[in-house]
Amino acid sequence: MSKIKPSKGAPYARILGVGGYRPTRVVPNEVILETIDSSDEWIRSRSGIQTRHWANDEETVAAMSIEASGKAIADAGISAEQIGGVIVSTVSHFKQTPAVATEIADKLGTDKAAAFDISAGCAGFGYGLTLAKGMIVEGSAEYVLVIGVERLSDLTDLEDRATAFLFGDGAGAVVVGPSAEPAIGPTVWGSEGDKSETIKQTVAWDEYDSTKDKFPAITQEGQAVFRWAVFEMAKVAQQALDAAGISPSDLDVFIPHQANERIIDSMVKTLKLPEHVTVARDVRTTGNTSAASIPLAMERLLATGEAKSGDTALVIGFGAGLVYAATVVTLP
């Protein structure tokens, strides 16, 4: 018989607050067209993207995260000292160690919160949310900060016609805390490593030679990624609805990873979402911000009134790996 005492966590967890930060520089498609042979109409028709935000030297991964986190903490109505965990999802923090989460936790003023980074690409926010939920229910933290942040402009090849227009920078954060009722559903997540070559870094850091190589960038096989996202991720989204015990008609909001508006439209059609469901389309003005895209889209929907507190939302992220994560949440 085990002598270990049972955990004394909350019965459930919920998102209590959300915050976002978009860099001050807005980059229209015309700037992208200076380095690739394309057109504004082509970019919009293929992706829906009109503008994106690019960070300046001061808008670091840590700085953007701190700005977004401060808003999320204020929105949750708690203090930084109450945060027991800081989880940061990013692929664009270039120091292997220490984790940028530790710097963020310190500068926010947490009381020695557990802090770590995860690398799960565009599904990273969903991964972090699931880990935060587990920490709260298990009892190792009362409040957990989950951050998705990217400076993908640092990893963009502006001469690559397939990807130059896709990526943007920004940070989104949520505070996850205790709940008396279910407010974050079961997560449907996984990976398909046999397809990992479809989205990848062009040159590994240990192979990069600055005298002959372009700085490492993100590249992808566009059609293969599109087909996978449209056909396979709609199935995952439906599995998340089933796991939560709801149907598409029960949804108020759909917040998919903001990769491409054509993918979003296809998923809406495949899932047969009713007209009343609000669909996030932040990709139009923010671009693909990978791990930051879902919390940024969530923050904008709430700020504009397109979504409201208490709404039931389906969130799904998918990307490099290939990895994915989907769940149903109650909006803060």
Side-chain angles (χ1 to χ4, degrees):
M1 183 176 181
S2 175
K3 297 179 181 179
I4 300 173
K5 294 181 180 180
S7 300
K8 295 183 178 179
Y12 306 104
R14 69 184 306 118
I15 299 174
L16 299 173
V18 60
Y21 180 83
R22 293 171 174 81
T24 54
R25 183 187 177 193
V26 178
V27 180
N29 288 338
E30 285 73 19
V31 172
I32 307 299
L33 296 176
E34 294 173 5
T35 53
I36 60 171
D37 180 17
S38 188
S39 68
D40 178 62
E41 190 278 331
W42 187 90
I43 293 173
R44 292 186 187 222
S45 66
R46 296 302 190 279
S47 68
I49 299 172
Q50 304 165 22
T51 61
R52 73 284 292 146
H53 294 254
W54 283 354
N56 60 34
D57 291 343
E58 288 72 40
E59 292 168 322
T60 63
V61 165
M64 292 190 294
S65 297
I66 290 166
E67 289 289 334
S69 298
K71 295 175 184 177
I73 291 168
D75 192 41
I78 65 169
S79 67
E81 291 86 351
Q82 293 174 273
I83 299 282
V86 177
I87 303 171
V88 178
S89 178
T90 185
V91 298
S92 46
H93 173 58
F94 292 158
K95 286 185 180 179
Q96 191 71 37
T97 191
V100 72
T102 59
E103 177 186 350
I104 295 165
D106 176 62
K107 290 185 175 178
L108 284 172
T110 69
D111 184 16
K112 300 180 181 178
F116 57 96
D117 298 351
I118 58 175
S119 177
C122 306
F125 176 75
Y127 275 50
L129 189 64
T130 302
L131 294 173
K133 173 186 173 183
M135 291 167 71
I136 290 159
V137 173
E138 187 270 340
S140 61
E142 185 175 12
Y143 299 100
V144 179
L145 183 64
V146 180
I147 303 165
V149 57
E150 301 292 1
R151 274 181 55 120
L152 293 182
S153 58
D154 293 336
L155 289 167
T156 298
D157 180 355
L158 293 178
E159 296 179 344
D160 181 357
R161 190 172 184 271
T163 61
F165 59 90
L166 287 176
F167 303 121
D169 303 336
V174 299
V175 172
V176 183
S179 175
E181 59 185 14
I184 301 175
T187 300
V188 177
W189 57 354
S191 65
E192 297 186 36
D194 60 316
K195 300 180 180 67
S196 61
E197 290 295 301
T198 57
I199 306 174
K200 63 181 181 179
Q201 186 171 305
T202 51
V203 182
W205 293 116
D206 61 348
E207 298 172 355
Y208 171 59
D209 182 346
S210 62
T211 64
K212 63 178 182 180
D213 296 326
K214 278 187 175 182
F215 192 79
I218 297 172
T219 186
Q220 67 177 29
E221 298 174 16
Q223 286 302 314
V225 173
F226 182 88
R227 287 193 298 271
W228 176 77
V230 167
F231 296 110
E232 298 303 320
M233 291 306 97
K235 297 176 186 176
V236 171
Q238 183 60 57
Q239 289 169 14
L241 291 174
D242 294 341
I246 67 172
S247 67
S249 62
D250 297 315
L251 281 178
D252 300 301
V253 184
F254 179 44
I255 311 177
H257 165 47
Q258 302 294 292
N260 180 307
E261 194 165 29
R262 290 172 64 206
I263 292 175
I264 295 171
D265 288 339
S266 295
M267 292 182 73
V268 169
K269 183 178 180 180
T270 302
L271 289 167
K272 298 180 181 179
L273 295 184
E275 288 289 329
H276 76 264
V277 176
T278 297
V279 179
R281 299 184 184 278
D282 195 42
V283 66
R284 293 173 178 173
T285 56
T286 306
N288 179 345
T289 56
S290 188
S293 77
I294 289 175
L296 277 174
M298 183 184 295
E299 184 257 357
R300 174 160 282 172
L301 289 175
L302 290 166
T304 60
E306 295 173 82
K308 63 184 186 300
S309 175
D311 278 353
T312 299
L314 169 63
V315 298
I316 179 170
F318 45 86
L322 294 169
V323 296
Y324 54 88
T327 189
V328 175
V329 303
T330 301
L331 295 182

